[in-house]
Amino acid sequence: MVSHHDNIGHPATAPAENEIGTAVLDRVVIRFAGDSGDGMQLTGDRFTHEAAAFGNDLATQPNFPAEIRAPQGTLPGVSSFQIQIADHDILTAGDQPDVLVAMNPAALKANLGELPRGGTVIVNTDEFTKRNLTKVGYAADPLTDDSLGEFVVHQVPMTSLTLAATESTGVGKKDGQRAKNMFALGLLSWMYGRPIGGTERFLREKFAAKPDIAEANVLAFRAGWNYGETTEAFATTYSVAPAVLPAGTYRQITGNTALAYGLITAGSLAGLPVFLGTYPITPASDILHELSKHKNFGVTTFQAEDEIAGIGAALGASLGGALGVTSTSGPGLALKSETIGLAVMTELPLVIIDVQRGGPSTGLPTKTEQADLLQALYGRNGESPVAVLAPRSPADCFATAVEAARIALTYRTPVLLLSDGSIANGSEPWAIPSVAELEPIDPGFETEAEGEFLPYARDRETLARPLAVPGTAGRAHRIGGLEKADGSGDISYDPANHDLMVRLRQAKIDGITVPAAEVDDPDGGAEILLVGWGSSYGPIGEACRRVRRRGTGVAQLHLRHLNPLPPDLGEVLRRYPTVVAPEMNGGQLAMLLRAKYLVDVQPWTKVAGTAFSAQELVGVIDAALDGTLAELEHDKARAARARATYRTNGGAS
């Protein structure tokens, strides 16, 4: 099951009051926001776990501050976690929060602009001091100057109530204050009828080595629950029923965790140990963290001194008969390019995971982007073709990782897997598959044999060369980055041979078996097709749902295989009068599709470090149908130039 969204800022149906004061909702979007030290990610994660256990469909999107140690209480230090829970299939974590929990003035100011009129704000009043208000530019206290008049505001002294609740444990004031996020979690758990036993068990296990801290957090959590139960400020609780999901066993999973599980599974399917050679980099580091926990499944993790050493070790592991993997983000992919070229020349299987973030250079380490597509396809010297895949959601990362390993081992090629920050850190329910039902992967290594060995001979169907683990009797051969002679693998400078080998390597990639394009066009005959890849899947899908509900036909096509592309893609694109490609980059996929298929694919681009909202893409569909989309896209460039000119002229228009 892939978890998905249907939020337009308010519940889809009017709350139905029953006799015990519970409003029944079909979905709700909640955002926890506070200082980077306030534990918002932990709070959101725990609420997510309980929603998953309850049976809701859900989608989450954490938002991390870009500064490692931003000053406390400032706008750059705000951290948030958004979750949508629903009683039906949803596609995103929501366009806007229905409920904002703001732990300080900075959190309120940074997030209030996204809260729709009538939305609920729950604030920690203890942090609304004159000093904290001044830090973020509030001239007056927004809790007293009527500036929040269009919202439902609940003022709760969370810090002082938490300190009172934890006093009996004997923990210091600082440790007591740190538990205020659990107070907030308890209050929201009460409001939305979440079970409390799982969180209490989690806290006692997490802080098992510090029983007093564990007790303080449990007491703070209970205090938040009891505050909601006893105060008259919250007259209504809310109920979001479990979603009706296909039969199976589910768990909540993030994209990075799903990638790790997919790699472990691929190793098991191929009967090979998994070797990860990597260097920590945001937002890919959690793949290393997760894989390092699973040595019992034949996984070896190597934290190298740099990106180059990481991929070099991974390629060496592939040569030695393991499933070699390396993980990184955009800047690290650039450093790995020479070794990827070596993998192309030696025709060794290698899985390279790029969890994309905003660029160029260091760019926006904690923000998302889809701007590494051209780098993945062409960012090496010479003709260096590789397979390229992209998962569409956190849960889809599992199957995409298995597919990447299958292609790498079957075709003896590096495979680039393009995830991104939204997918890596987001989470959703995942239906746990049975490994027994997954197709085995045959690595097809050469065994000891007599007779001549031609390391660059070709399989008739795949064009893959044979692989022999070093030390296999009778299978000694030359390896390295210099051009290989066809068949023998000897070093060759012959022009005709080089031309042949370049074309063979390209033909091998072009011949990878890729499924036909799957178009979502329920009624058929739509006038417009939206083409996407990666994490744009959820917003595009939800935008299509909204447009269809009002009676407008629109089709959606999402690409997992980006090189090679589906064999019938050109035919599909030509069926639709209008084709639009929304991307979080400058229009890379649109450019490629226009060049390859000579179809007028219109780009819609975004490079803000944030994902598309569904409502934003509804506007894109409307503009495309009206014939004004190209003008709107050009307006972005004109606006950027105008802004630059304004600043160059010292602010004079």
Side-chain angles (χ1 to χ4, degrees):
M1 197 287 288
V2 179
S3 183
H4 300 78
H5 158 81
D6 193 291
N7 174 57
I8 54 175
H10 297 284
T13 57
E17 291 285 351
N18 65 25
E19 60 275 7
I20 59 171
T22 298
V24 179
L25 309 177
D26 66 352
R27 81 255 190 283
V28 68
V29 180
I30 301 169
R31 182 179 298 177
F32 298 93
D35 196 77
S36 57
D38 283 341
M40 294 297 93
Q41 305 305 323
L42 176 62
T43 305
D45 190 59
R46 283 313 311 165
F47 194 88
T48 301
H49 273 83
E50 296 305 334
F54 187 74
N56 296 124
D57 195 9
L58 62 90
T60 72
Q61 192 56 65
N63 188 5
F64 302 96
E67 301 290 336
I68 295 175
R69 292 285 184 182
Q72 190 172 9
T74 62
L75 292 173
V78 173
S79 175
S80 67
F81 188 105
Q82 182 161 306
I83 175 174
Q84 180 175 199
I85 59 175
D87 66 2
H88 58 279
D89 172 54
I90 56 173
L91 290 169
T92 74
D95 287 358
Q96 301 169 296
D98 300 309
V99 180
L100 171 63
V101 180
M103 302 300 286
N104 60 17
L108 180 66
K109 189 165 190 177
N111 293 280
L112 189 63
E114 297 183 51
L115 194 70
R117 177 179 296 182
T120 298
V121 184
I122 302 173
V123 296
N124 178 15
T125 56
D126 289 327
E127 295 298 319
F128 279 69
T129 63
K130 184 176 181 180
R131 181 170 181 266
N132 287 344
L133 292 167
T134 302
K135 278 184 183 180
V136 294
Y138 275 125
D141 188 345
L143 302 182
T144 60
D145 68 358
D146 297 327
S147 62
L148 302 180
E150 61 183 10
F151 307 109
V152 177
V153 181
H154 296 285
Q155 301 184 35
V156 183
M158 297 186 197
T159 305
S160 55
L161 289 173
T162 299
L163 286 173
T166 60
E167 185 177 6
S168 63
T169 65
V171 300
K173 182 177 180 180
K174 186 175 181 180
D175 286 330
Q177 287 178 330
R178 285 176 174 168
K180 62 181 180 289
N181 63 326
M182 289 299 105
F183 183 97
L185 179 60
L187 176 57
L188 268 292
S189 297
W190 172 81
M191 286 179 63
Y192 291 95
R194 304 294 98 179
I196 63 175
T199 295
E200 292 193 2
R201 286 191 298 273
F202 165 81
L203 292 171
R204 295 195 187 281
E205 291 172 4
K206 179 177 177 62
F207 300 107
K210 298 179 179 179
D212 54 341
I213 300 296
E215 186 65 19
N217 279 273
V218 169
L219 290 176
F221 177 70
R222 290 177 181 172
W225 177 281
N226 292 333
Y227 181 84
E229 183 77 22
T230 58
T231 184
E232 296 180 359
F234 296 89
T236 305
T237 59
Y238 302 91
S239 172
V240 181
V244 179
L245 304 174
T249 301
Y250 290 79
R251 60 153 288 174
Q252 174 226 356
I253 201 165
T254 66
N256 277 344
T257 300
L259 284 174
Y261 288 179
L263 294 170
I264 295 169
T265 302
S268 174
L269 293 172
L272 299 178
V274 176
F275 181 93
L276 176 74
T278 192
Y279 181 77
I281 183 171
T282 301
S285 299
D286 283 342
I287 300 171
L288 167 63
H289 301 159
E290 185 62 40
L291 283 175
S292 67
K293 303 174 185 176
H294 300 291
K295 298 179 179 65
N296 55 314
F297 288 110
V299 177
T300 300
T301 53
F302 171 55
Q303 182 174 318
E305 62 185 8
D306 56 31
E307 297 281 5
I308 299 170
I311 189 172
L315 186 59
S318 288
L319 175 63
L323 174 58
V325 183
T326 191
S327 56
T328 189
S329 188
L333 184 62
L335 291 169
K336 296 178 188 292
S337 62
E338 183 178 11
T339 306
I340 297 174
L342 176 61
V344 171
M345 175 60 75
T346 55
E347 300 190 44
L348 289 171
L350 181 66
V351 177
I352 305 119
I353 297 172
D354 174 13
V355 186
Q356 300 164 98
R357 70 190 202 191
S361 189
T362 306
L364 306 172
T366 63
K367 309 302 178 183
T368 194
E369 205 166 271
Q370 291 181 290
D372 294 348
L373 177 57
L374 294 181
Q375 180 182 200
L377 288 167
Y378 306 118
R380 294 164 295 283
N381 68 298
E383 296 287 340
S384 303
V386 300
V388 180
L389 304 175
R392 69 185 190 180
S393 70
D396 189 48
C397 285
F398 175 86
T400 306
V402 173
E403 175 72 357
R406 187 184 304 279
I407 291 173
L409 290 165
T410 301
Y411 293 89
R412 319 305 201 211
T413 179
V415 177
L416 264 156
L417 189 156
L418 294 177
S419 179
D420 63 51
S422 287
I423 290 176
N425 296 318
S427 66
E428 62 185 0
W430 170 54
I432 302 173
S434 169
V435 175
E437 296 176 359
L438 300 177
E439 183 182 351
I441 301 173
D442 181 9
F445 290 134
E446 289 283 308
T447 57
E448 295 183 13
E450 297 179 355
E452 183 182 16
F453 177 53
L454 296 176
Y456 281 82
R458 301 286 165 182
D459 180 271
R460 183 173 300 177
E461 293 184 5
T462 66
L463 295 182
R465 77 173 185 88
L467 285 184
V469 175
T472 303
R475 292 296 180 256
H477 61 283
R478 185 186 300 272
I479 201 78
L482 293 172
E483 183 60 279
K484 305 295 182 287
D486 179 36
S488 70
D490 294 337
I491 295 172
S492 173
Y493 294 98
D494 176 63
N497 178 77
H498 178 58
D499 186 274
L500 172 65
M501 296 299 281
V502 167
R503 296 183 189 281
L504 279 173
R505 289 189 288 263
Q506 183 64 58
K508 180 176 67 171
I509 299 301
D510 292 341
I512 293 172
T513 301
V514 172
E518 292 186 17
V519 182
D520 178 19
D521 188 0
D523 299 323
E527 293 294 308
I528 181 173
L529 172 69
L530 267 64
V531 182
W533 65 280
S535 64
S536 63
Y537 171 77
I540 291 175
E542 172 54 25
C544 290
R545 287 182 179 183
R546 294 183 189 178
V547 171
R548 288 167 187 159
R549 282 199 293 267
R550 70 187 195 202
T552 303
V554 59
Q556 178 188 8
L557 168 62
H558 211 75
L559 299 172
R560 173 189 279 177
H561 294 84
L562 295 165
N563 194 39
L565 292 161
D568 60 340
L569 182 56
E571 176 189 342
V572 170
L573 295 177
R574 295 185 190 99
R575 290 207 303 259
Y576 292 89
T578 302
V579 180
V580 179
E583 296 179 85
M584 293 185 291
N585 57 45
Q588 297 180 19
L589 178 64
M591 180 182 69
L592 293 168
L593 296 181
R594 289 170 70 98
K596 184 174 180 65
Y597 300 111
L598 302 180
V599 173
D600 183 20
V601 179
Q602 299 182 51
W604 181 257
T605 64
K606 184 174 185 176
V607 283
T610 57
F612 290 111
S613 72
Q615 199 59 32
E616 174 185 1
L617 294 182
V618 169
V620 169
I621 295 171
D622 289 340
L625 292 172
D626 292 341
T628 60
L629 184 63
E631 183 65 20
L632 290 177
E633 179 68 21
H634 292 322
D635 283 347
K636 296 176 184 177
R638 284 198 290 267
R641 284 194 295 269
R643 184 175 178 86
T645 302
Y646 178 81
R647 291 191 179 279
T648 301
N649 293 337
S653 60

